[in-house]
Amino acid sequence: MQRKTKTAKKRSAGKVGKAAARKAPARKSAAGRPAARSAAAQRALGQRAREIARLLAAEYPDAHCMLDHRSPFELLVATILAAQCTDERVNMVTPELFHRFPTPAAMAAADIRELEALIRSTGFFHNKAKSIKGAATELDGRFREGFPRTIEALLTLPGVGRKTANVILGVCFDTPAIVVDTHFRRVTQRIGIARSDDPDEIEREVAALLPPDSWTGFSHAVTFHGRRCCAARKPDHARCPVVHLCDSRDI
């Protein structure tokens, strides 16, 4: 009996050790980034990432930006409002917002208190109102001759970070762009093609694995997958089209 108990303990410890190894965070380099993979490992991961992209594109052929818009200006405003807010809520707010302020010039001239009242339900409405009014002012001034079409120019607008800039570039101008939102971050980490927790670094990691012409479509497909299958609490492995390629299929 004593021998069996010791054996059972060893087996249990082994299982715990394996589980801990699977869940251990990626080893970081001195610069704070995940340690570089070998060339062979990077090539293998690239092949797996491309297969994942192919399968997700087949699974979600309708994947697209979920924010309702009719112009780059409207998508810019909607994306700013979507920070810490659902796309569904933003889509409820923007029709009246754009009815009252349909152009950058109109929004730039808006009373900040009226903007705040219209977008209150999206949360953080004080800061968001300042951002969309400030961005509209810049668009009506510096960019009156044309909407900015580069990430460098977009990043000069108030309230615009890489995520917002990439949404606009990929959706409105067909410029290859990777959009790292909450769903994209969770899914790419789970399937093992991103190791960092930093959105900018995740963007670089994934970009290194896929051809540029697939970046925008892959971003939409991954977000749809996160919404419909790979939920934050419990992924639906039974319906997952990439479960056989996923590092976290034992969650």
Side-chain angles (χ1 to χ4, degrees):
M1 289 294 292
Q2 187 175 3
R3 185 175 300 173
K4 288 183 179 180
T5 301
K6 289 181 178 180
T7 302
K9 287 182 178 179
K10 287 182 179 179
R11 288 176 180 171
S12 177
K15 289 180 180 179
V16 172
K18 290 179 181 178
R22 284 197 299 269
K23 296 179 180 179
R27 186 164 55 90
K28 298 292 184 69
S29 68
R33 295 180 178 179
R37 299 182 181 92
S38 68
Q42 186 71 6
R43 284 195 299 271
L45 186 60
Q47 292 176 347
R48 183 157 66 95
R50 289 190 291 276
E51 178 64 6
I52 289 169
R54 184 187 70 80
L55 292 170
L56 291 181
E59 183 72 13
Y60 308 107
D62 60 333
H64 61 280
C65 177
M66 297 291 288
L67 293 168
D68 296 339
H69 64 281
R70 296 167 297 183
S71 68
F73 166 63
E74 289 191 356
L75 183 57
L76 168 66
V77 172
T79 307
I80 291 173
L81 297 182
Q84 304 297 313
C85 181
T86 66
D87 292 350
E88 292 77 12
R89 169 55 59 182
V90 172
N91 289 339
M92 293 172 64
V93 167
T94 50
E96 180 62 22
L97 178 67
F98 295 139
H99 174 70
R100 295 198 196 182
F101 309 108
T103 65
M107 191 168 289
D111 185 290
I112 192 72
R113 291 168 296 183
E114 186 175 1
L115 288 177
E116 290 177 348
L118 287 168
I119 68 172
R120 177 182 290 270
S121 64
T122 68
F124 304 99
F125 60 92
H126 292 303
N127 289 335
K128 290 180 180 180
K130 290 178 182 177
S131 292
I132 62 176
K133 183 177 173 67
T137 300
E138 291 293 297
L139 291 174
D140 188 47
R142 286 194 298 130
F143 297 104
R144 180 172 291 182
E145 299 303 316
F147 197 93
R149 291 171 174 253
T150 67
I151 194 163
E152 292 80 11
L154 285 165
L155 289 176
T156 67
L157 298 176
V160 175
R162 289 193 67 88
K163 173 190 166 184
T164 299
N166 281 333
V167 168
I168 294 165
L169 291 174
V171 173
C172 297
F173 302 119
D174 293 324
T175 300
I178 292 173
V179 179
V180 183
D181 64 7
T182 301
H183 300 291
F184 190 92
R185 175 179 174 177
R186 179 179 70 254
V187 173
T188 54
Q189 288 177 335
R190 278 182 175 173
I191 62 181
I193 62 175
R195 298 182 294 175
S196 177
D197 287 324
D198 177 68
D200 292 353
E201 184 61 28
I202 291 173
E203 180 185 339
R204 285 188 285 268
E205 287 185 89
V206 177
L209 299 172
L210 297 171
D213 61 0
S214 71
W215 290 354
T216 303
F218 182 67
S219 297
H220 293 322
V222 169
T223 295
F224 265 50
H225 188 58
R227 289 173 178 269
R228 299 181 180 181
C229 183
C230 194
R233 290 190 176 183
K234 182 68 176 178
D236 188 351
H237 294 306
R239 292 197 304 112
C240 180
V242 296
V243 66
H244 59 295
L245 299 170
C246 181
D247 283 353
S248 302
R249 54 185 175 270
D250 58 343
I251 291 179

